[in-house]
Amino acid sequence: MRHSQKSAPQVNAGSMADIAFLLLIFFLVTTTISADKGINRKLPSHCPPGTDCTLEINERNILRIVLNSKNELMVDGDITKIEDLKAITKVFLDNNGNGSCTYCNGTSIVSLSDHPKDAVISLSTSENSNYATFIAIQDELSKAYYELREVYGYSVFGKSPDKLNASEIIEIKQAYPFILSEADTK
């Protein structure tokens, strides 16, 4: 009598590795990887051409903002909430301290800036400062400039920001230049 042994059918596993490899390559090639853009801010050169970098800045034209290691925001030595920073910045920039600004709406407070073109915002941070808080401060400063520029656009050109042409945008940016000095505290 013959003994019958049935062998189980076998699957060729050699091609399985090839298929897995091809799928891996397919997904690597077709996947898009997003790139983080970071902060959209152009860093100034050491000393821009046509600028006197040895010129001393009057103390009243500097708004000193400090973010310490405990993430406390200090504006000119006083602890301040981030929510109040935009209003403080707008009052500082639009002050018209020397009376020469024809478009400023400020109240000419003696301790604040002479003119928006002379105003400098000094932002100092600790190396232990929270990055999210730093970005929130940057946002508030940008909002202050945007709102002042928007008011200028309406009063001078009678247009909303999205209706301005390139030369009008340049004029607005020259009226309220974003002069920001960033430094790390020791």
Side-chain angles (χ1 to χ4, degrees), residues 119-137:
V120 175
I121 296 177
S122 172
L123 176 57
S124 301
T125 59
S126 167
E127 62 183 37
N128 296 327
S129 298
N130 183 321
Y131 187 70
T133 308
F134 174 75
I135 296 300
I137 290 170

Side-chain angles (χ1 to χ4, degrees), residues 2 10 16 24 31 36 50 52 56 59 73 81 86-87 104-105 110 119 131 135 145-146 150 162 169-170 176:
R2 214 168 111 177
Q10 294 186 359
M16 291 288 271
L24 178 66
T31 303
D36 291 337
D52 183 10
E56 296 229 5
E59 187 62 35
L73 176 64
K81 295 179 186 175
K86 178 178 72 169
C104 294
N105 299 312
V110 177
Y131 187 70
I135 296 300
Y145 274 97
Y146 179 80
E150 183 179 29
D162 57 332
I169 291 171
I170 290 170
Y176 289 100

Side-chain angles (χ1 to χ4, degrees), residues 22-92:
L22 288 173
L23 284 173
L24 178 66
I25 289 177
F26 172 77
F27 286 116
L28 286 174
V29 170
T30 59
T31 303
T32 58
I33 300 172
S34 63
D36 291 337
K37 298 216 183 221
I39 299 174
N40 188 12
R41 194 71 47 114
K42 183 179 178 184
L43 297 175
S45 62
H46 179 65
C47 187
T51 306
D52 183 10
C53 292
T54 60
L55 188 65
E56 296 229 5
I57 299 171
N58 188 342
E59 187 62 35
R60 73 183 271 177
N61 289 324
I62 301 173
L63 180 64
R64 297 190 186 283
I65 301 171
V66 178
L67 180 62
N68 66 18
S69 60
K70 297 177 186 175
N71 289 315
E72 295 171 325
L73 176 64
M74 296 176 64
V75 178
D76 286 334
D78 297 326
I79 294 180
T80 307
K81 295 179 186 175
I82 292 178
E83 299 81 29
D84 299 335
L85 183 59
K86 178 178 72 169
I88 292 168
T89 304
K90 285 173 62 175
V91 168
F92 172 78

